[in-house]
């Protein structure tokens, strides 16, 4: 189980990362109903407010059970929800988890995921004591690949034909980042 506090709040220069609230449903739907944002996701774009409400409720339940850690990414100045980042597939014994992120299309290219990602990785290694963080992406997802590499992740392999979604088969690129190196200040 991921041993985080329920009232977690991570601050960066421009952003705060904190658990999603019921009032975020409309903003969350606007982000994840966008086909560009969902192009490489393993689920289709959201279509109704219930998709967002269900996601927020499930995230809260999973956080309470310490199964995963899902945080909204908010602009500090305005409180605007920009997207979300999460840790999941946690292995306590091996001290590893998987990371994921998604940002509203209009917010891409401002360095927000670099900033949010660094903060979540730092929290994962220094506070949660993780030893390794993994990310699995579609090899065609150039934006995510670049963002991960900028965060210090190394592409470690290609998992062939890993997914089949609506009859479309796709590969997965697996990325890894170690605490060793990051905590010595050499990764970021
Ligand atoms: C991937 C994603 C999170 C990147 O967020 P972002 O805030 O735009 O990323 P940043 O601005 O921090 O950029 C990080 C680096 O990636 C590069 N980059 C971002 N999007 C890119 C794209 N589409 N193509 C090529 N490079 C891209 C940036 O130029 C930057 O590198 P640089 O500083 O050398 O110029 C965002 O595009 C997104 O939400 N995509 C859809 C969701 C998704 O596919 N998530 C991955 C599944 S885990």
């Amino acid at each position: 189980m991921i041993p985080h506090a329920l009232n977690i709040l991570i601050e960066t220069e421009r952003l705060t990362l904190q658990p999603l609230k019921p009032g975020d449903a409309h903003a969350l739907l606007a982000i994840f109903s966008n086909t560009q944002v969902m192009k490489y996701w393993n689920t289709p774009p959201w279509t109704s407010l219930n998709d967002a409400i269900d996601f927020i409720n499930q995230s809260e339940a999973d956080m309470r059970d310490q199964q995963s850690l899902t945080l909204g990414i908010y602009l500090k100045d305005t409180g605007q929800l920009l997207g979300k980042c999460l840790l999941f597939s946690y292995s306590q014994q091996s001290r590893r988890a998987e990371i994921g992120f998604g940002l509203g299309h209009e917010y891409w290219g401002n360095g927000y995921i670099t900033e949010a990602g660094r903060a979540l990785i730092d929290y994962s290694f220094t506070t949660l004591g993780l030893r390794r963080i993994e990310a699995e992406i579609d090899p065609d997802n150039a934006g995510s690949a670049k963002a991960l590499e900028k965060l210090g992740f190394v592409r470690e392999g290609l998992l062939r034909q890993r997914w089949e979604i609506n009859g479309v088969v796709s590969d997965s690129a697996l990325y890894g980042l170690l605490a060793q190196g990051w905590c010595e200040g050499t990764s970021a």
Side-chain angles (χ1 to χ4, degrees):
M1 299 207 290
I2 300 184
H4 52 267
L6 276 177
N7 57 354
I8 173 175
L9 171 74
I10 300 174
E11 279 192 71
T12 69
E13 191 187 337
R14 295 177 294 171
L15 309 169
T16 57
L17 313 183
Q18 55 190 117
L20 293 160
K21 317 173 284 297
D24 291 326
H26 280 99
L28 207 59
L29 174 63
I31 295 168
F32 294 101
S33 56
N34 182 297
T35 51
Q36 297 263 72
V37 174
M38 300 301 278
K39 185 168 177 194
Y40 298 111
W41 221 263
N42 55 8
T43 55
W46 296 356
T47 53
S48 80
L49 195 61
N50 276 339
D51 292 332
I53 293 168
D54 288 348
F55 182 86
I56 293 168
N57 289 340
Q58 190 61 53
S59 299
E60 200 201 334
D62 289 348
M63 283 194 55
R64 225 181 299 113
D65 297 345
Q66 303 202 327
Q67 293 301 314
S68 65
L69 173 61
T70 300
L71 299 174
I73 302 171
Y74 301 85
L75 209 51
K76 231 184 207 175
D77 282 354
T78 61
Q80 176 70 39
L81 179 72
L82 306 182
K84 64 175 162 71
C85 54
L86 66 157
L87 290 173
F88 59 106
S89 297
Y90 174 62
S91 164
Q92 184 174 16
Q93 182 176 318
S94 296
R95 291 193 287 133
R96 80 171 130 73
E98 201 169 322
I99 195 169
F101 34 69
L103 207 65
H105 189 240
E106 62 270 47
Y107 308 116
W108 291 9
N110 292 295
Y112 289 136
I113 282 303
T114 305
E115 194 169 323
R118 274 190 187 140
L120 183 59
I121 290 165
D122 220 39
Y123 178 82
S124 304
F125 287 151
T126 57
T127 305
L128 298 180
L130 295 193
R131 198 179 44 72
R132 170 181 164 87
I133 303 174
E134 298 178 345
E136 186 201 324
I137 63 167
D138 188 308
D140 292 336
N141 190 347
S144 277
K146 186 77 198 293
L148 287 169
E149 280 160 14
K150 200 163 177 207
L151 285 166
F153 281 81
V154 172
R155 182 170 154 153
E156 297 176 334
L158 184 75
L159 312 178
R160 295 171 302 157
Q161 298 192 6
R162 183 129 205 271
W163 292 96
E164 181 163 348
I165 294 161
N166 297 329
V168 179
V169 174
S170 61
D171 299 339
S172 267
L174 192 67
Y175 286 74
L177 177 68
L178 303 184
Q180 180 188 4
W182 179 277
C183 294
E184 291 150 17
T186 54
S187 277

